[in-house]
Amino acid sequence: MQTTIFTFTVLLLAFIGYYMGRSRAVATVSGDVRKLHSLPRHYGYFVALWCGVPALVLCVLWMLFEPYIVNTLVLSGVPNIDPDASSAVIARILSDVKFLAANGVGRGADDPVMVAAAEHYTHLKTVGTASLAVAIIAFSILGLVIGSRRVGADLKARNQVEGLIRWVLLASSVIAILTTIGIVGSLLFEAIRFFGKVPFTDFLFGLEWSPQIALRKDQVASQGSFGAVPIFAGTMLISFIALCVAVPVGLLSAIYMSEYATPKVRAIGKPMLEILAGIPTVVYGFFAALVVAPTIRGFGEAWGLDVSSESALAAGLVMGIMIIPFVSSLSDDVIRAVPQALRDGSYALGGTKSETVTQVILPAALPGIVGGVMLAASRAIGETMIVVMAAGLTANLTANPLQAVTTATVQMVTLLVGDQEFDSPKTLAAFALGLVLFCVTLCLNVVALRVVAKYREKYD
Amino acid sequence: MKPMTKENAIDIDKSVDINNEMTNPQVSSLQIPAEEVKIKAEDVRVRYGEKEALFGINLDIPQSKVTSFIGPSGCGKSTFLRCLNRMNDTIDGCSVTGNIHMDGVDILSKQVDTVLLRAKIGMVFQKPNPFPKSIYDNVAYGPRLHGLGNSKSDMDEIVETSLEKVGLLKEVKDRLLEPGTGLSGGQQQRLCIARAIAVDPEILLMDEPCSALDPIATAKIEELIDELRGSYTIVIVTHSMQQAARVSQQTAFFHLGNLVEYGETEQIFTSPQDERTKGYITGRFG
């Protein structure tokens, strides 16, 4: 609530600053704007930024450091804290104080020390908010004054505004990059914790996966084994089946759409095909689990085969359908990028359409097609929802597509869903799986993008 | 497939007398004996969708000679050239009517198989368009399509003779397996000519074959056209009147979808009959 009021006040002041800067600049040259170094609006922006940016920076700094300062001050008012108390104990005391301050009742309501601390907390909060309000308004007005005093015909307002824009853009990029680094870092950090409990080689080369861990010392349970080979074998099996569906269907439909279809058919057919990419994967998931899997099981029974009701084949087939648009639309783009001159050259020599496609167009477009297939593969490997619903949970090391296998994504979901403690190997294993998965898809993407980029150079 | 646009027809200088486009008062000083006519076009009309590109062309192309088509951009000369090997079939919305007889066969008829037709009529394009394959495979592409050169040694011979004919063999002998796209522009264009003659056609169509080349490469191609003349009937579209004068025996001048004048090259360039031809070759428009 207060933040909203602060923001609006600063915005209003900045708005006023804009018009002040603008009119001041025009006034200094008595209306002849050509004498100004920059356009009048640049002076407006200049003053508005002087007014808004320092206040904004102050506000952000406050949000970052206020909790820390307040907590420290409150804790210093609580005398009987064991100096060696763990961070969890301190956090509990703090949350008790905050609860007490907010509700007046709760744990420690009869402890005078705690009540005093709660009052201290409320007091600090009130003072803090008030001083922040004053500081922000003061900063804005100060900025307004400094900014508008600097306005003059010689002020290079345009350059300064442009310079600031550069910083804003830089900051946005830094946020995105830092987030990525943060995610990868936390994945790496947790995975390292896991590898502290389970040896790296056991994880990467172990053939058995059953992540059961005894919760109590006296519980009858296995130690748990974390051999990831069956999981990645399952992932690869399902992805392989998916690619076996998606590559031929996607590529052939791309060839049809780009070479054979009349513009009318193409105008309808291509968007229809791309709708496939817009279907939520969860819908594919229950399609796989409720329609495809029982059908395959029925077929299998008719042929006397033993088909699991959560077969790799069902999940793979549906995943294959899901990634058809990736293959087809990327292939379509590269096929259409093959110069018309090459087609003409082949036709003029008496090549038929299919000869031209197989002998000239596909070889020329091959690197791009390979890139598209690899992007589709990394999508298949990382796909979660379909396999959660349609693939099994048991880690089978098999190449038989009619049996149930599990994938890395399914295991990560099952390991992390529900109440979990975050220091057992069972939960940490999810991070290790995630790290390996991340590395695999990253490599695939890098290779795919390089292949596509190399191809692009060819005709430009 | 990108539809070809033919909207860039140039406005003719107003001082030049324009006859009605729809009628075609063609001046032809050429008398070709019937047995020497290789291609006989009668009332060939082409439309791209709603837009008419050629308004009834009548033209006889003699055997074993070089015939050049000149005219300003968008005049229909390339369109007419592409009718001769039915390349206009590959353009959506393009329709061709009339008759074109080659050795007495109407090649516009539906019964004619374009695969066989194009084996007899080679084509070279404006921009060199070697396939992204080796030099050898580029030349062998056509023969393979038509089942020529069944053994390795036969194919080697076809490739070598074709490259020899275009004077490329000694330049590329040691790198036949390297990509054709790595050659220089002039070499690429000669490779494309070698590729076209590898299937042993009777006619060679050239659509501004030198417009993307430097003067030295152009001179080589022109020399080559002169050498090939005896064995093939050559039809060349060109923007360069000097080139038409240098390489061809007959010249046809197209303007706004009409064949304006057709005659011996020398006569066209020295004493054109039509005002428009005179205007074009003296550089008053186009």
Side-chain angles (χ1 to χ4, degrees), chain A residues 61-86:
Chain A
L61 288 179
W62 175 266
M63 282 182 194
L64 287 178
F65 294 110
E66 185 249 27
Y68 176 74
I69 296 167
V70 170
N71 288 352
T72 320
L73 289 176
V74 168
L75 285 177
S76 66
V78 183
N80 52 350
I81 292 183
D82 179 2
D84 299 329
S86 72

Side-chain angles (χ1 to χ4, degrees), chain B residues 18-25 55 255-258 276:
Chain B
I18 314 170
N19 291 302
N20 186 354
E21 295 179 344
M22 303 308 287
T23 63
N24 195 16
F55 303 95
H255 185 247
L256 296 177
N258 289 305
R276 289 171 288 178

Side-chain angles (χ1 to χ4, degrees), chain A residues 287-315 317-318 390 400-404:
Chain A
F287 176 64
L290 301 180
V291 180
V292 178
T295 312
I296 290 175
R297 198 178 150 81
F299 268 115
E301 272 167 1
W303 287 88
L305 295 170
D306 182 24
V307 183
S308 147
S309 57
E310 291 175 325
S311 60
L313 189 59
L317 283 179
V318 175
N400 180 357
L402 301 179
Q403 285 188 354

Side-chain angles (χ1 to χ4, degrees), chain A residues 341-342 346-347 349-350 359-360, chain B residues 115 118 129-131 133 141 146:
Chain A
L342 291 186
S346 173
Y347 292 142
L349 285 168
Q359 293 178 42
V360 175
Chain B
V115 171
R118 288 173 192 160
N129 59 347
F131 301 131
K133 297 172 182 286
Y141 184 82
H146 298 290

Side-chain angles (χ1 to χ4, degrees), chain B residues 241-274:
Chain B
M241 282 174 277
Q242 291 82 348
Q243 185 170 65
R246 281 194 299 263
V247 302
S248 69
Q249 284 76 54
Q250 293 76 228
T251 297
F253 172 63
F254 285 75
H255 185 247
L256 296 177
N258 289 305
L259 174 62
V260 174
E261 189 165 352
Y262 181 43
E264 297 287 344
T265 300
E266 206 184 321
Q267 177 262 314
I268 293 279
F269 283 101
T270 52
S271 53
Q273 310 286 300
D274 192 285

Side-chain angles (χ1 to χ4, degrees), chain B residues 55-130:
Chain B
F55 303 95
I57 305 293
N58 296 289
L59 186 73
D60 291 354
I61 293 170
Q63 192 160 13
S64 302
K65 290 202 171 140
V66 180
T67 305
S68 63
F69 294 172
I70 60 169
S73 297
C75 66
K77 55 194 189 306
S78 289
T79 301
F80 183 65
L81 189 77
R82 291 168 67 92
C83 291
L84 301 180
N85 66 345
R86 299 262 304 261
M87 277 300 276
N88 285 331
D89 288 13
T90 62
I91 298 171
D92 291 323
C94 177
S95 73
V96 182
T97 55
N99 294 307
I100 299 175
H101 284 94
M102 184 188 137
D103 296 335
V105 180
D106 182 9
I107 60 170
L108 292 184
S109 137
K110 289 248 184 299
Q111 272 86 46
V112 168
D113 185 352
T114 53
V115 171
L116 299 177
L117 176 72
R118 288 173 192 160
K120 280 200 240 169
I121 308 179
M123 189 169 193
V124 177
F125 296 84
Q126 188 169 352
K127 222 180 127 215
N129 59 347

